[in-house]
Amino acid sequence: MKRKLIGALVGAAAMSLAAGQAVAQKAGAKVSGDMVKIGVLTDMSGVYSDLGGQGSVTAAQMAIDDFKAQAKPAWKIELVYADHQNKADVGSNKAREWYDTQGVDMITDALNSAVALAVSKVTLEKKRILIDTGAASTRLTNEDCSPNTVHYVYDTYALANGPGKAVTKQGKDSWFFLTADYAFGHSLEKDTSDAVKASGGKVVGAVRHPLNASDFSSFLLQAQSSKAKVVGLANAGGDTINSIKAANEFGLTKNQTIVGLLTTIIDIHALGLPTTQGMMFTEGFYWNLNNETREWSRRFFGKHKKMPSMLHAGTYSAVMTYLKAVQATGTDEADAVMKQLKATTINDMFAKGGKVRADGRMVHDMYLVEVKKPAESKEPWDYYHIKAVIPANEAFQPMSLSRCPLVKK
Amino acid sequence: MSEIFGIPIQAFMGQLMLGLVNGSFYATLSLGLAVIFGMLNIINFAHGALYMAGAMLAWMGLNYFGIGYWWSLLLAPLGVGAVGVIIERSMLKWLYKLDHLYGLLLTFGLALILEGLFRDLYGVSGLPYSIPEEFAGAYNLGFMFLPKYRAWVILASLVVCLATWFVIEKTRLGAYLRAATENPRLTQAFGINVPLMVMLTYGFGVALAGFAGVLAAPAMQISPLMGSNLIIVVFAVVVIGGMGSILGSIVTGLGLGLIEGLTKVFYPEASSTVVFIIMAIVLLVRPAGLFGREK
């Protein structure tokens, strides 16, 4: 009984504190506690930790340091980070704790769609901001869109649409899919199939493999006997890596083009060019694009010892853009900052002319890349030919197809 | 062209061949587990991590010391075996008299530590290891395109498995080992150094895992998680074959590889589950496993 009473008292105290904080934030058009606090919520040790993980923390810290040096804000900036272990409940609990007790204003990275959707709900409830640079699901800006969430780097539509259209138009018009047998894989397959068919291509078949299958040779043999010109890999992480490795071993790459639907420079680096040459896929960022990307990426490399993934570059850009918006409005109050974010045109090493739409989607150019042959690569991490720049208005789902209630039609 | 169940016979044979390749890995890994369980009564959960360590050692040897594939095939299992000996001497030997559960928990903890260590050092995306030049290319068998390396995997693991079976079941050394398992005190009374034999057995069992790791390195991506993805299936193989049965684990490993291969053609969605369905059925009908003896 006594313990229950104490529990209730503590709970009540915590609630009143939290409420007090919320009031304080609404009241003043100034930065609460003279402190902007940014939380990087990511996978620090699991399957996506190379894609986001410590690299995202490093990128966010770089953005904070650069912003401090350039803008010399009157308020302090603090960075916190945590491992969500790819579990939606762990992620949303952490977000709640950060918002309630630590005064975190903005959460970023949040890779893994399940975690992102959960954190987005908490963010809306607590009236803070989520700038998601890691998750893939288009639900974040459609059925589950939120006035407090920005989806910054990529989504399954952008990943599927680019290669689906561009590769088909190059005459590689028959596709076979290797699909991870869960929601993510299915939606990636569907989105790509739609793009292929819209461009006059056809889909000759698909094989659904279990998540984390240890051996892909059997599935690739089926892809081989389908005689499709393109084999699309609607899977991610270790599954993609092992599919590519087996494709190479079984000689698929001689007659068929392998298109990764969620492949990044991290995968290419892990596999090496001899295995991956000739593959095509969509990227949101490439370090060796121009002087600006090279300059930033080399600085990042100096700290992280690996070149940035599009998540890392996106996280830097997101934190920088957010801090500039706080500076411009003079407050960290979410509604005002979001309004500012949606009015800003983002121009930095990550995005040129980037815009945050009403549904929370940040649209920017994407790149269709082809992996170089080993002989063409001049230095470590020199991996891509840029085959096409997919302009922002074509790369992402058009607003006319939006299923987000925030979008007025 | 003739067909089997609506599948061209060529594709069918191809899938059987691939099943055999996977079966070879299962057989080599489950053999090590069976030897360890049979002789030491330890359920070695660290087996997957040591398999990963074998692959990692091969990669480190190549990239830091320029040691090629063939030397790795010899040295990495020795390295893993040495680690095994240290584990046995320093930790496992205190647990033989206790319940199975203690050995299982200890080795499970070791597996997590090993995986965490390599994950911290090399990240999770994995490391590339190319196929040795001798095995680049493929045999055209008429009905399929068999990469030479996969053919080598089948051959190498079959030889190693059969040699192990022969040593344990047909030689004097094997007879000592089996005697030491049956009644350690009596065997010791005959002047045989039982603790030494037990230590070497564990070392050998995990060296088999290291060997499978090196075999797998060129065919699969080397990653800290490669062992944990495989170990559960391998345990199922051991249970189906009969805990501790040497021949059982070899035959079951290959057989299940074949069955899994066929599932990948007819109903790929179930290919990761089929092994466990078979395990459940076998446990219902023959709780000691297909080749196991009831005690």
Side-chain angles (χ1 to χ4, degrees), chain A residues 205-350:
Chain A
V207 56
R208 308 265 160 78
H209 67 76
L211 182 63
N212 287 334
S214 58
D215 179 67
F216 283 82
S217 40
S218 165
F219 307 123
L220 284 157
L221 224 58
Q222 297 178 40
Q224 199 167 28
S225 54
S226 76
K227 304 272 189 291
K229 290 178 190 165
V230 182
V231 178
L233 306 178
N235 51 23
D239 283 346
T240 306
I241 286 178
N242 278 320
S243 314
I244 297 168
K245 198 152 176 165
N248 196 55
E249 198 186 346
F250 282 83
L252 252 78
T253 39
K254 288 195 191 88
N255 307 313
Q256 291 167 304
T257 304
I258 309 289
V259 172
L261 297 172
L262 178 45
T263 309
T264 67
I265 197 158
I266 306 293
D267 301 318
I268 303 303
H269 187 69
L271 281 159
L273 291 183
T275 311
T276 52
Q277 53 184 309
M279 269 189 75
M280 294 176 88
F281 49 89
T282 310
E283 272 268 28
F285 178 82
Y286 177 43
W287 72 272
N288 205 0
L289 207 57
N290 54 47
N291 284 333
E292 208 179 346
T293 56
R294 273 189 288 273
E295 188 271 329
W296 181 80
S297 302
R298 292 224 162 91
R299 274 204 298 137
F300 179 85
F301 187 90
K303 295 175 197 294
H304 190 58
K305 306 298 167 216
K306 283 179 192 161
M307 280 297 175
S309 70
M310 62 175 162
L311 270 71
H312 299 148
T315 301
Y316 175 90
S317 170
V319 172
M320 192 57 131
T321 307
Y322 171 79
L323 289 172
K324 282 179 182 164
V326 174
Q327 173 96 338
T329 50
T331 174
D332 56 358
E333 195 266 315
D335 288 347
V337 177
M338 278 304 285
K339 208 173 154 197
Q340 173 68 19
L341 280 174
K342 286 184 177 165
T344 313
T345 303
I346 301 161
N347 274 311
D348 58 13
M349 84 317 163
F350 176 74

Side-chain angles (χ1 to χ4, degrees), chain B residues 161-210:
Chain B
C161 286
L162 290 177
T164 308
W165 172 80
F166 183 81
V167 168
I168 292 181
E169 299 289 340
K170 303 286 170 195
T171 64
R172 181 172 288 262
L173 177 70
Y176 288 160
L177 267 177
R178 282 177 287 132
T181 322
E182 206 65 40
N183 194 335
R185 290 174 93 181
L186 194 62
T187 315
Q188 189 125 27
F190 280 114
I192 293 167
N193 188 345
V194 173
L196 180 74
M197 294 198 77
V198 166
M199 178 184 87
L200 291 179
T201 307
Y202 187 77
F204 175 75
V206 300
L208 277 178

Side-chain angles (χ1 to χ4, degrees), chain A residues 45-50 181 207-210 212 214-219 221-222 224 241-242 245-246 249-251 254 266-267 269-272 306, chain B residues 14-15 18 22 26 119 122-129 131 144-145 147 149-150 217-222 225 229-230 261 264-265 268-269 271-272:
Chain A
S45 57
V47 281
Y48 302 123
S49 54
D50 285 350
D181 193 19
V207 56
R208 308 265 160 78
H209 67 76
N212 287 334
S214 58
D215 179 67
F216 283 82
S217 40
S218 165
F219 307 123
L221 224 58
Q222 297 178 40
Q224 199 167 28
I241 286 178
N242 278 320
K245 198 152 176 165
E249 198 186 346
F250 282 83
K254 288 195 191 88
I266 306 293
D267 301 318
H269 187 69
L271 281 159
K306 283 179 192 161
Chain B
Q15 297 294 347
L18 288 177
N22 284 332
Y26 294 159
R119 189 165 55 194
Y122 297 108
V124 292
S125 300
L127 307 157
Y129 194 96
I131 290 174
M144 78 171 295
F145 182 88
Y149 188 76
R150 304 258 166 170
M220 293 165 196
Q221 183 76 353
I222 303 177
L225 306 175
N229 289 343
L230 204 59
K264 282 176 181 168
V265 189
E269 287 87 340
S271 58
S272 63

Side-chain angles (χ1 to χ4, degrees), chain B residues 95-151:
Chain B
L95 301 180
Y96 295 139
K97 291 189 188 110
L98 300 173
D99 192 72
H100 289 326
L101 199 58
Y102 290 89
L104 187 148
L105 286 175
L106 177 82
T107 50
F108 184 60
L110 285 173
L112 292 180
I113 292 170
L114 264 176
E115 271 176 13
L117 193 70
F118 280 108
R119 189 165 55 194
D120 195 47
L121 287 172
Y122 297 108
V124 292
S125 300
L127 307 157
Y129 194 96
S130 49
I131 290 174
E133 270 175 37
E134 295 89 329
F135 292 124
Y139 297 112
N140 194 342
L141 300 182
F143 60 86
M144 78 171 295
F145 182 88
L146 180 68
K148 287 181 185 170
Y149 188 76
R150 304 258 166 170

Side-chain angles (χ1 to χ4, degrees), chain A residues 152-153 155 157-158 161-162 165 345-346 350-357 361-367 388-399:
Chain A
Y152 206 83
V153 176
D155 58 28
Y157 183 93
N161 194 46
K165 279 189 181 148
T345 303
I346 301 161
F350 176 74
K352 286 279 170 280
K355 283 270 181 203
V356 182
R357 299 192 308 204
R361 179 69 253 170
M362 202 281 264
V363 293
H364 56 93
D365 296 350
M366 299 284 285
Y367 308 95
V389 177
I390 308 162
N393 57 355
E394 287 176 28
F396 293 91
Q397 179 189 4
M399 288 287 257

